[in-house]
């Protein structure tokens, strides 16, 4: 996994992995989750991938748009 840059300095996201049609997100307090084209959907995954690469806004996006809609908990 790649460490999340956290440019705003207050994110709950620790790390992420971007793959073809999915993103795995590890939170500091709460495990690692997979989001994919099925849940929450391709548009949300694309937005999350862009935010993850930018290092800003990923946790906020998840909290405001995705919440508990994840494809799987990985750990």
């Amino acid at each position: 996994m790649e460490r999340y840059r956290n440019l705003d300095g207050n994110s709950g996201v620790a790390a992420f992995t971007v793959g073809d049609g999915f993103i795995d997100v590890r939170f500091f307090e709460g495990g690692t989750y997979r989001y994919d084209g099925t849940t929450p959907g391709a548009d949300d995954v694309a937005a999350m991938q862009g935010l993850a690469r930018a290092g800003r806004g990923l946790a906020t996006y998840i909290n405001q748009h995705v919440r508990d809609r994840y494809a799987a908990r990985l750990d």
Side-chain angles (χ1 to χ4, degrees), residues 9-57:
N10 58 355
S11 180
V13 174
F16 67 94
T17 298
V18 170
D20 187 22
F22 74 90
I23 183 169
D24 296 339
V25 180
R26 178 180 298 145
F27 295 93
F28 283 111
E29 300 187 28
T32 304
Y33 296 85
R34 173 160 291 182
Y35 304 89
D36 64 22
T38 302
T39 306
D43 291 341
D44 285 318
V45 169
M48 292 167 65
Q49 289 174 334
L51 293 167
R53 289 181 178 122
R56 177 175 283 141

